[in-house]
């Protein structure tokens, strides 16, 4: 059976985790096959609740995630089996009922704000990365994303950030940095950090 390396990338909301993961995938892909998917698609389905009720839920708490399914999918990828990743509907705060097939590969990259906070996921990880981005930059990026891509209002984004996103970051996400093997100060165009991390990972994979 082929050896699969799992890389987990954590960091606050809108810290640049997905961008970093995609760039890292491109750099690793030159030498190894890579699969990348996000914990954002594994929120539990709250379609039984009204939309206004779903909008008030705390999606930054570990209990909002289907951790059991995430771990099962990681185990399947470790066995070199394909997985069906659920596609989450962020505008309506529920599962869409649609899926995307992810094929197995030598390297699996999983990103999520709680990727290093959840013990079951952390134990399956070979390389753990934390993306550290200034709070104001993360808020601005989240504001732009949620308004432009997810149909949220300015007041909705601000209230949500103050009531759940910021306190959950301080309580769950930020402390998980102590579990990271690599801490990356992220900003747009930080090519040096990406190149260094990719080079180190390629070296570790080659040695394996």
């Amino acid at each position: 059976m082929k050896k699969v390396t799992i890389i987990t990338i954590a960091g606050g909301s809108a810290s640049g985790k997905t961008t970093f993961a995609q760039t890292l995938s491109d750099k690793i892909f030159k030498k190894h096959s890579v699969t990348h998917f996000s914990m954002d698609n594994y929120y539990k389905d709250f379609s039984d609740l009204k939309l206004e009720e779903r909008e008030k839920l705390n999606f930054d708490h570990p209990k909002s995630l289907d951790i059991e399914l995430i771990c099962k999918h990681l185990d399947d990828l470790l066995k070199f089996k394909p997985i069906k990743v659920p596609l989450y509907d962020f505008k309506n705060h529920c599962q869409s009922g649609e899926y995307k097939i992810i094929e197995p590969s030598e390297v699996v990259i999983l990103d999520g704000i709680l990727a290093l906070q959840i013990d079951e996921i952390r134990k399956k990880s070979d390389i753990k990365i934390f993306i550290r981005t200034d709070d104001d930059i993360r808020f601005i990026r989240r504001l732009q994303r949620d308004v432009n891509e997810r149909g949220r209002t300015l007041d909705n984004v601000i209230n949500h950030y103050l009531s759940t996103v910021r306190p959950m970051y301080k309580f769950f996400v930020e402390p998980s940095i102590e579990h990271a093997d690599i801490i990356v100060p992220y900003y747009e165009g930080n090519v040096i950090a990406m190149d260094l991390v990719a080079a180190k990972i390629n070296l570790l994979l080659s040695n394996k």
Side-chain angles (χ1 to χ4, degrees), residues 84-150:
K84 289 173 61 177
V85 174
L87 298 179
Y88 195 76
D89 183 347
F90 289 97
K91 290 185 177 180
N92 294 300
H93 304 285
C94 61
Q95 286 293 340
S96 67
E98 299 180 356
Y99 298 85
K100 177 182 179 180
I101 301 297
I102 297 291
E103 297 295 336
S105 62
E106 296 172 86
V107 180
V108 173
I109 300 178
L110 174 68
D111 77 74
I113 61 173
L114 298 166
L116 298 186
Q117 196 278 335
I118 298 170
D119 187 55
E120 300 95 315
I121 295 175
R122 196 169 62 243
K123 287 179 179 178
K124 299 179 186 296
S125 306
D126 298 292
I127 301 170
K128 300 177 288 294
I129 301 172
F130 190 96
I131 308 298
R132 185 162 55 190
T133 307
D134 289 344
D135 291 353
D136 55 346
I137 299 298
R138 290 192 299 103
F139 173 73
I140 292 170
R141 293 179 63 174
R142 181 186 176 94
L143 180 64
Q144 292 174 327
R145 180 197 67 192
D146 286 3
V147 170
N148 296 331
E149 300 177 17
R150 299 180 178 178

Side-chain angles (χ1 to χ4, degrees), residues 4 13 28 38-40 47 52 58 63-64 70-71 82 91 98 115-116 118 136 138 148 158 175 178 183 202:
V4 177
S13 176
I28 298 175
S38 176
M39 289 172 61
D40 285 355
S47 56
E52 53 267 29
N58 183 357
K63 289 185 178 180
S64 67
I70 297 173
C71 290
K91 290 185 177 180
E98 299 180 356
L116 298 186
I118 298 170
D136 55 346
R138 290 192 299 103
N148 296 331
I158 293 174
E178 68 180 44
I183 300 172
N202 276 322

Side-chain angles (χ1 to χ4, degrees), residues 133-191:
T133 307
D134 289 344
D135 291 353
D136 55 346
I137 299 298
R138 290 192 299 103
F139 173 73
I140 292 170
R141 293 179 63 174
R142 181 186 176 94
L143 180 64
Q144 292 174 327
R145 180 197 67 192
D146 286 3
V147 170
N148 296 331
E149 300 177 17
R150 299 180 178 178
R152 312 283 166 77
T153 65
L154 178 63
D155 287 343
N156 175 268
V157 176
I158 293 174
N159 291 334
H160 189 210
Y161 181 83
L162 293 176
S163 63
T164 60
V165 177
R166 188 177 185 279
M168 291 299 99
Y169 174 79
K170 295 297 182 182
F171 192 82
F172 288 115
V173 183
E174 191 173 46
S176 73
I177 196 171
E178 68 180 44
H179 301 295
D181 301 310
I182 303 170
I183 300 172
V184 178
Y186 185 81
Y187 52 86
E188 297 294 341
N190 188 358
V191 179

